[in-house]
Amino acid sequence: MGYAAHTAKDLAEATPGSRDRYVDLLRVASLGTVLLGHWLMAAVSSDGIGNLLALVPALQVLTWGLQIMPVFFFVGGFSHALSYRSLARRAEGRPVYAAFLRARLRRLLRPTIVFVLVWTAGALAVQLAGAGEGKLTGAALRLVTQPLWFIGIYLAAVAFTPPLLTLHRRWGWGAFAAPAAAAAAVDVLRFALGVPYVEFLNFAFVWLAVHQLGFLRADGRITRPALLAAAGLAGAVLLVACGPYPLSMVGMPGEKVSNMAPPTLALLAHGTWLVGAVELLRGPAAALLARPRVWRPVVAANGIAMTAFLWHLTAMLAVYAAQLGLGLRLPEPATAAWWAQVPVRLLAATALTGVLVAVFRRFEAPGRGRAEPGSGPRAALGTTLCLLGILGLSMTGLGGLLEGHSATLIALPVTAPAAIGMALGGWLLVERSASARRVRLRG
């Protein structure tokens, strides 16, 4: 029975004692922190949409706590390991790759595809009406798809889970050390030798290394989190202080080097210290989550987290559009008047996000608890197309749909219509990769 058929209270009360509730809290907290960070960083004025961290560089140090996306990949690795192993045990030797991909991706791809379709229709309408060239409108059409990069990379983490789990079984910590060393080698080739395009490899090496830490947690092998946190923090500090890496752990407009896009060894060190830090809090958090009044909100938030992530920038842009539509003055970003409006804007964006979640949350609901085994190659091809399409769209934005505006994706030009087509085609392949035979799938 799907999530929509139950209340959060029902699901909370039915939670088995063996469930790791802290993982659910980390998933919600990491996405919630991203929402808050995006709302605060957007510096909207009559001249367009800027970045608060670029206007006030001293605030960039806050990204060492607020850039928490590595925690989401860490949690993903933990969940993917448990899910794949559970499915493989029940399948009794039958192929499970397609079933695993489809089950893990449905709650990710369905709300994402709906988001893309709704915004594409809106962007086309705006551009056909000749209103797509304004400073604010144009910036909004570029900005709204940027967070989709995370979904594209996460698709790769899901797709590579089975082979990476095999490496993990054989090598343990060595399976983490290998992509970490590869990330370091990529940065040497990039910064010391100037090899072109090699930096894009770190989209895989950095995020899959963090994902491997989730496998280690699933096996109880992160036994010294304080050492992990200290090593990661020391590494990040040394890399930023002595290397070519910027202070900010999120991308800054106009900077020559970003720790995020493509990711760098400094971001991997940052992710490592974050993993150690959250593991240090595991015991106290688990005690709190045993209380029903604490656990129920976490269950409720988990059921809508991806929908909220997809639509939170839409809500923020709507808040600023409402200010302009009502003739209210937009103060210059980072001024006292701007800061005074922050609480009101955050409350309004939260409320509007809640409205959008109420409209679109149905697409995030899980399936009926059964999945068909199906064609692994078809599911893998579909996932690859989705990955490339969603990453491409995050780079092109939705401006210039009619003019064929393009961006470079892994050394190749891609347009928004092509990216949308790849994402839709890939999603259909994933959905239709099933066969007539069925196996049970839970979780």
Side-chain angles (χ1 to χ4, degrees):
M1 193 173 291
Y3 179 90
H6 300 280
T7 66
K9 182 179 179 181
D10 294 334
L11 292 170
E13 291 175 350
T15 302
S18 60
R19 187 174 184 88
D20 192 329
R21 300 183 181 197
Y22 186 44
V23 166
D24 294 291
L25 174 64
L26 289 178
R27 184 183 296 111
V28 169
S30 57
L31 286 182
T33 302
V34 170
L35 267 62
L36 178 62
H38 285 170
W39 285 340
L40 288 174
M41 283 194 301
V44 179
S45 68
S46 56
D47 293 327
I49 303 175
N51 191 310
L52 178 65
L53 298 180
L55 296 173
V56 188
L59 294 178
Q60 292 179 19
V61 70
L62 297 179
T63 63
W64 286 53
L66 295 176
Q67 171 47 287
I68 201 169
M69 195 58 82
V71 175
F72 192 91
F73 280 84
F74 167 63
V75 167
F78 174 87
S79 300
H80 298 156
L82 295 187
S83 176
Y84 184 80
R85 288 169 174 172
S86 176
L87 177 57
R89 283 193 301 268
R90 290 194 297 274
E92 299 177 346
R94 289 172 293 181
V96 297
Y97 185 61
F100 170 75
L101 282 183
R102 212 164 39 253
R104 300 306 296 179
L105 296 186
R106 272 175 174 165
R107 289 187 66 182
L108 191 65
L109 285 179
R110 285 179 176 176
T112 301
I113 293 298
V114 169
F115 170 82
V116 168
L117 291 176
V118 171
W119 259 101
T120 299
L124 276 174
V126 167
Q127 290 169 61
L128 287 171
E133 299 300 324
K135 288 183 179 179
L136 287 176
T137 303
L141 292 177
R142 290 192 303 273
L143 176 68
V144 75
T145 64
Q146 285 181 5
L148 294 180
W149 73 264
F150 143 71
I151 294 174
I153 299 300
Y154 197 74
L155 289 173
V158 176
F160 282 111
T161 287
L164 291 178
L165 267 176
T166 300
L167 293 177
H168 165 74
R169 283 194 299 270
R170 292 179 181 175
W171 303 106
W173 277 96
F176 162 75
V186 165
D187 277 8
V188 170
L189 293 172
R190 174 186 181 184
F191 295 119
L193 302 178
V195 177
Y197 302 120
V198 70
E199 63 268 25
F200 291 106
L201 292 173
N202 268 352
F203 276 114
F205 293 140
V206 168
W207 292 114
L208 291 180
V210 178
H211 195 250
Q212 289 292 128
L213 289 173
F215 294 170
L216 291 162
R217 187 189 192 277
D219 287 350
R221 301 188 65 172
I222 301 181
T223 56
R224 304 175 72 180
L227 178 61
L228 190 67
L233 185 57
V237 169
L238 285 173
L239 288 168
V240 170
C242 305
Y245 306 98
L247 174 65
S248 175
M249 291 297 164
V250 301
M252 292 288 101
E255 65 183 355
K256 293 182 179 179
V257 176
S258 166
N259 281 321
M260 274 291 294
T264 63
L265 184 62
L267 183 68
L268 176 55
H270 168 72
T272 303
W273 98 258
L274 280 180
V275 167
V278 298
E279 282 296 282
L280 285 171
L281 299 174
R282 182 177 179 180
L288 282 174
L289 291 166
R291 302 176 183 179
R293 285 184 297 178
V294 178
W295 177 234
R296 279 197 295 270
V298 174
V299 172
N302 258 300
I304 60 170
M306 188 53 57
T307 304
F309 172 81
L310 287 166
W311 292 97
H312 76 283
L313 285 183
T314 304
M316 182 204 72
L317 293 169
V319 169
Y320 279 109
Q323 279 189 268
L324 291 171
L326 294 171
L328 301 178
R329 186 176 67 90
L330 288 180
E332 285 300 309
T335 62
W338 186 89
W339 283 109
Q341 288 187 5
V342 164
V344 177
R345 286 198 301 270
L346 289 181
L347 287 173
T350 301
L352 281 174
T353 300
V355 172
L356 290 167
V357 164
V359 173
F360 294 107
R361 64 177 294 178
R362 71 192 69 180
F363 300 104
E364 190 177 349
R368 295 175 176 268
R370 296 174 66 89
E372 302 164 6
S375 167
R378 184 182 299 176
L381 175 60
T383 303
T384 302
L385 287 173
C386 281
L387 183 159
L388 294 174
I390 291 171
L391 279 180
L393 192 58
S394 75
M395 300 179 73
T396 63
L398 289 168
L401 280 173
L402 304 177
E403 291 80 17
H405 168 72
S406 66
T408 301
L409 175 65
I410 316 178
L412 296 174
V414 62
T415 64
I420 294 167
M422 283 191 290
L424 285 172
W427 172 63
L428 289 174
L429 279 175
V430 171
E431 287 286 325
R432 300 188 179 209
S433 63
S435 68
R437 296 183 297 122
R438 292 179 181 266
V439 294
R440 278 192 181 273
L441 177 68
R442 298 174 184 174

